[in-house]
Amino acid sequence: MNGYWDGPKPEPQIRVIEEMREVLADPGCTSDQPLYFMYRDLARSESDREWLRQQHVRYDITVIPSRTLCGEYVKTKGHYHTANPAGMLYPEIYEVLSGTGHYLLQTEDAGDVVMVEGSAGDKILIPPGYGHVTINPAGSDLVMANLVSTEFSSNYGPYIDQQGAAYYEMEGGALVKNPHYPDAPPVRYCDPVEVPELRIEKGVGLYDLIGHPRSVAFLNHPEQFMEIFAGVTGGCLLVR
C-alpha cells in the first residue's frame, strides 16, 4: 500500500489459499502466493485514533494483487455482518484507492445479487442485509480502504456453506453461476452511489471523514439513515 498510506503501518493479516478453498470455483486449486493483504485499524496520529475509537469506527486498507486461481479472478472470502442493538445488520463503506474493484453484493437468500464496479475515488456502500465479495478483475493491484463499525463481526458461514457467492467471476469477465444457488436471479449492475450530505463523494477520501461524526454515524446506526441506502441497490440495470 506504498503511496496510499503515510502513517504507522502494522503487519498485515495475509489471506492464503488454504483459507479460501471453501469459497473457490475450483476448491482443488493451488497457489504458493499470498492472495491478499489486510491492514486493520489504521490511524495517522493518536488524535485520529482516539476520534475513531470514540465513534466506534475502524479504518482499514486491503491490497488484492492481480492474479487468477484456476481461471477465477482473485477475490475476498466474502462475509455478512452481524446485527446492531436495533436489529439492523451493520453496513460498511469502501473506497477504491487504486485499480478496479468488482463488489458482488447479495442478500443471504441470494434473492438479490448486485455488482458494483469501482475505480479510483469511487465509494461503494454495502447496505444492511447484504453480504459482499470483492473481486480484482484488472491487470493491476486493487488497493481499497474501508470504514466499518468496531462493534460488528464478520459472518463467513453462509459463503463457506454455499462454496462462495452466487456467481464466480472468471478470467475474461464471465460470471458463472454457483450451482449451490440454483434459484439465484441474474446479476443487476449498479453504479457507485454518492451521498453529498454525508461528504461521501468521489473527491473526498474516507479518511477525510475523520472529524465529521455525522458522516460516519450510519455505520453504527443504519436504522437512522435508511434513505441513504435506498439508492444503493435500487434502480439498477438488470443486464449490462
Side-chain angles (χ1 to χ4, degrees), residues 63-87:
V63 180
I64 307 177
S66 173
R67 61 172 56 102
T68 57
L69 296 171
C70 299
E72 182 183 10
Y73 286 131
V74 168
K75 63 188 179 184
T76 58
K77 191 166 187 175
H79 65 267
Y80 293 87
H81 294 180
T82 50
N84 74 353

Side-chain angles (χ1 to χ4, degrees), residues 116-200:
V116 182
E117 179 175 298
S119 56
D122 284 334
K123 311 300 185 298
I124 294 84
L125 192 56
I126 312 298
Y130 281 79
H132 54 100
V133 170
T134 305
I135 303 160
N136 182 356
S140 59
D141 290 355
L142 168 60
V143 183
M144 61 184 183
N146 69 279
L147 285 172
V148 69
S149 171
T150 55
E151 306 304 302
F152 100 108
S153 58
S154 297
N155 179 11
Y156 299 99
Y159 283 97
I160 292 171
D161 292 344
Q162 299 291 93
Q163 198 181 320
Y167 288 85
Y168 304 111
E169 186 168 6
M170 310 305 288
E171 190 171 12
L175 289 178
V176 176
K177 182 183 278 192
N178 179 341
H180 292 86
Y181 298 87
D183 299 323
V187 175
R188 299 188 299 128
Y189 291 86
C190 300
D191 294 325
V193 173
E194 296 193 356
V195 188
E197 60 268 30
L198 296 184
R199 304 184 79 242
I200 298 172

Side-chain angles (χ1 to χ4, degrees), residues 21-237:
R21 292 190 190 283
E22 298 163 305
V23 299
L24 296 179
D26 180 357
C29 196
T30 60
S31 173
D32 59 359
Q33 299 293 317
L35 302 190
Y36 57 97
F37 305 84
M38 300 168 285
Y39 298 86
R40 303 294 198 202
D41 197 17
L42 300 175
R44 291 193 174 113
S45 67
E46 282 307 311
S47 60
D48 287 353
R49 183 174 301 282
E50 181 57 28
W51 188 90
L52 288 163
R53 189 176 293 129
Q54 290 174 359
Q55 306 304 315
H56 303 281
V57 169
R58 192 181 78 207
Y59 180 86
D60 308 324
I61 290 179
T62 301
V63 180
I64 307 177
S66 173
R67 61 172 56 102
T68 57
L69 296 171
C70 299
E72 182 183 10
Y73 286 131
V74 168
K75 63 188 179 184
T76 58
K77 191 166 187 175
H79 65 267
Y80 293 87
H81 294 180
T82 50
N84 74 353
M88 295 286 296
L89 270 63
Y90 287 99
E92 189 166 2
I93 188 167
Y94 286 88
E95 176 187 10
V96 178
L97 300 177
S98 177
T100 298
H102 284 178
Y103 295 81
L104 186 61
L105 284 57
Q106 65 182 57
T107 53
E108 191 162 345
D109 64 357
D112 189 29
V113 185
V114 173
M115 178 78 84
V116 182
E117 179 175 298
S119 56
D122 284 334
K123 311 300 185 298
I124 294 84
L125 192 56
I126 312 298
Y130 281 79
H132 54 100
V133 170
T134 305
I135 303 160
N136 182 356
S140 59
D141 290 355
L142 168 60
V143 183
M144 61 184 183
N146 69 279
L147 285 172
V148 69
S149 171
T150 55
E151 306 304 302
F152 100 108
S153 58
S154 297
N155 179 11
Y156 299 99
Y159 283 97
I160 292 171
D161 292 344
Q162 299 291 93
Q163 198 181 320
Y167 288 85
Y168 304 111
E169 186 168 6
M170 310 305 288
E171 190 171 12
L175 289 178
V176 176
K177 182 183 278 192
N178 179 341
H180 292 86
Y181 298 87
D183 299 323
V187 175
R188 299 188 299 128
Y189 291 86
C190 300
D191 294 325
V193 173
E194 296 193 356
V195 188
E197 60 268 30
L198 296 184
R199 304 184 79 242
I200 298 172
E201 312 177 73
K202 191 157 186 173
V204 179
L206 286 186
Y207 199 86
D208 297 328
L209 299 184
I210 289 177
H212 300 271
R214 179 169 168 77
S215 294
V216 301
F218 74 93
L219 293 167
N220 280 291
H221 305 287
E223 68 280 0
Q224 299 175 14
F225 294 84
M226 291 309 293
E227 71 281 359
I228 77 169
F229 300 113
V232 176
T233 59
C236 307
L237 298 174

